[in-house]
Amino acid sequence: MALQIPRIHFYEIDDQTWFPSFLREKVQACLTLCWIKCFPPFQSSSPAALIVETLQSLLGPSIKDYVFIDYCSGAGGPTAEFEREINKALELESIQKYHERNKDPTSLTRRRDATTENNSNGILTSSTSEDPSVDFILTDIHPHIPSWRLACSSSPHLHYVPAPIDASASPPDLLSKIHSSTPLPHRKPFRLFSLAFHHFDDPLARAVLKDTLLTSSGFAIFELQSRNLGSLFTVLLLGPLLWGVSWYYFWGDWVHLFWSYVFPVAPSVVVLDGLVSCLRTRTRGEIIRLMDEVEGVPGDWRVGWRFESGRRRHTWPFGEATWFVGIKDG
């Protein structure tokens, strides 16, 4: 049941300048774990996999027309998982089309076996001349370069911008600033805000939306929570979940384990900030209203844009992801 209260922009510990950066990294590592891992029987797939399905459904074949720029990436979040799953699907689709054109029904299986065996990342490659893959770019006003460098080493289609990037004033030459050995193909910019947009207060959110409407061809706001009692209950369960699994997923990172078990700062901040995140999360109507209040966008900003929103359960019984997606025509 939805809480009958207005959105409340309480403070989150992880946002504060006084919060030590090394502890912030541990908190963000916990959040990344919650994004990309599946915990049966309460989850049938990871939240990141649900978001990938949502993007694929909304964008369809046009997904190949975009370069995806993740703002407020933190330590990397789910972006590497988005890139991996979307490009695996695109590669498979490309291979299927290639063999359909060559009318060889048995060659697809042989090709998949060979490419999977020869590619340690599990990403299929095709003998077609056109690379169907799309690129993803990590950015943040406080770049996490060591974490990003490690993530990007696993794929030629995952990149990062080493300079600070303000989501409310993104540089027009951003794509020229990426750390990449090869230039990116010219594609339309699509902004991603993964568990990030609720961090902006209303003035900053309006500035981010203005910059987005003026300089991008699409954007998506993804949250792992809603402003309701079910989400608050789900967040409370993150404490015992992280207590139970951190030793396994972070074994060898003794600093992380110290701040998870001896002094459980990391899981405590995840829970406390998660509760505040629920109260900060905006509805579709509130995002639309912020765009109505944006000044300096020529003409009617609604013209040429279509907006979709929805929610999907990621954790039984009450955990749900919410999304708001804007797509510009042409």
Side-chain angles (χ1 to χ4, degrees), residues 51-66:
I51 296 305
V52 167
E53 292 175 7
T54 300
L55 273 175
Q56 291 170 324
S57 174
L58 290 172
L59 297 179
S62 69
I63 197 170
K64 293 180 286 189
D65 299 336
Y66 298 99

Side-chain angles (χ1 to χ4, degrees), residues 94-109:
S94 177
I95 293 171
Q96 288 173 331
K97 289 181 179 179
Y98 173 78
H99 289 292
E100 285 172 3
R101 288 195 300 268
N102 285 273
K103 302 184 185 301
D104 183 357
T106 64
S107 59
L108 175 59
T109 301

Side-chain angles (χ1 to χ4, degrees), residues 19-20 22-24 26-27 30 246 253-269:
F19 191 59
F22 79 93
L23 286 176
R24 183 176 294 109
K26 305 311 175 187
V27 171
C30 291
S246 289
D253 186 345
W254 309 118
V255 174
H256 190 112
L257 295 180
F258 180 86
W259 292 103
S260 294
Y261 292 102
V262 181
F263 292 99
V265 173
S268 299
V269 171

Side-chain angles (χ1 to χ4, degrees), residues 110-125:
R110 295 199 305 270
R111 180 68 177 172
R112 289 184 63 188
D113 291 343
T115 53
T116 302
E117 180 179 355
N118 292 325
N119 191 328
S120 61
N121 292 326
I123 298 179
L124 303 177
T125 56

Side-chain angles (χ1 to χ4, degrees), residues 5-6 14 34 58 72 76 102 125 129 141 246 271 278 314:
I5 58 174
D14 194 48
C34 294
L58 290 172
C72 309
N102 285 273
T125 56
S129 59
I141 198 165
S246 289
V271 172
C278 293
H314 59 72

Side-chain angles (χ1 to χ4, degrees), residues 175-193:
L175 296 183
S176 69
K177 298 178 181 293
I178 68 168
H179 184 272
S180 176
S181 58
T182 58
L184 268 61
H186 181 70
R187 289 174 176 164
K188 298 183 291 186
F190 193 105
R191 296 192 179 197
L192 299 176
F193 299 96

Side-chain angles (χ1 to χ4, degrees), residues 229-248:
L229 293 174
S231 285
L232 291 171
F233 175 77
T234 303
V235 168
L236 288 173
L237 297 180
L238 287 177
L241 171 68
L242 290 171
W243 185 86
V245 304
S246 289
W247 68 269
Y248 177 79

